[in-house]
Amino acid sequence: MNTYTIESIETGMTASFTQTVTAEWFEHFLAVSGDDNPLHTDAAFAKEQGYRDRVLYGLCTAALYSRLAGVYLPGRYCLLQQCDVSFVKPVFAGDVLTVSGTVQEKDERFARVKIKAEIRNAEGKKVSRATLYCGFLHAETE
Amino acid sequence: MTREEILAKATEIFRDVFDDDSIELTEETTAADIEDWDSLMHITLINEIEEAFGYKFGMKEVLGMKNVGEMCDILEKNT
């Protein structure tokens, strides 16, 4: 886990990680959200709609932005304040997603950074893009 | 810009940011007068004001402003 503070983080810093989507994600997100829309729960319905399989919940994909901010950029002292997200292509079980982000702006007056982030699948297609605004918790003192 | 022009321009920005055309700013308006004026909206508001007026508030100015009138004081001096 990274430990950037408002003092040490800089514009232009980047981070990324890769994650495979599994079928369990659908059940876990259903349990949390209660969203049983058939696009996410019924493969036959999804196919009727022109998708090759059940489509992952967009907000489940977006959960990866939470990891990007809370673990990588800025990491331990992150306080995620705002997340503007678009879901531009469907995500399916088995997809290998690469999540990446770049610090675009840093405002020391408000102890806040703006991070441009995106998620791409194994074919390199962008499935989601987002702008994250992160504040900072106080770093522990020795 | 005159004081009245600054207040009128700021009013437009506040209405856009809070999506509320009923907002009527006065010199005494504070965050307590606008329901959605919380700490996060404050940052958005400051950023929009800075962009519209072409002026970046300093750290002390950001922390020191007590009401809309004090914000207008700074903008009147610097724009």
Side-chain angles (χ1 to χ4, degrees), chain A residues 81-82 105 107-110 112, chain B residues 40 43 46 50 56-57 59 62:
Chain A
Q81 297 174 335
Q82 185 176 331
E105 292 175 17
D107 192 335
E108 293 200 59
R109 299 170 305 168
F110 301 115
R112 184 156 108 142
Chain B
L40 295 184
I43 298 173
I46 293 292
E50 287 179 336
K56 195 168 175 71
F57 295 104
M59 179 81 87
V62 164

Side-chain angles (χ1 to χ4, degrees), chain B residues 15-30:
Chain B
R15 287 175 177 173
D16 281 348
V17 168
F18 294 108
D19 194 22
D20 180 355
D21 285 341
S22 72
I23 290 174
E24 295 290 348
L25 289 187
T26 70
E27 302 265 339
E28 288 74 37
T29 302
T30 70

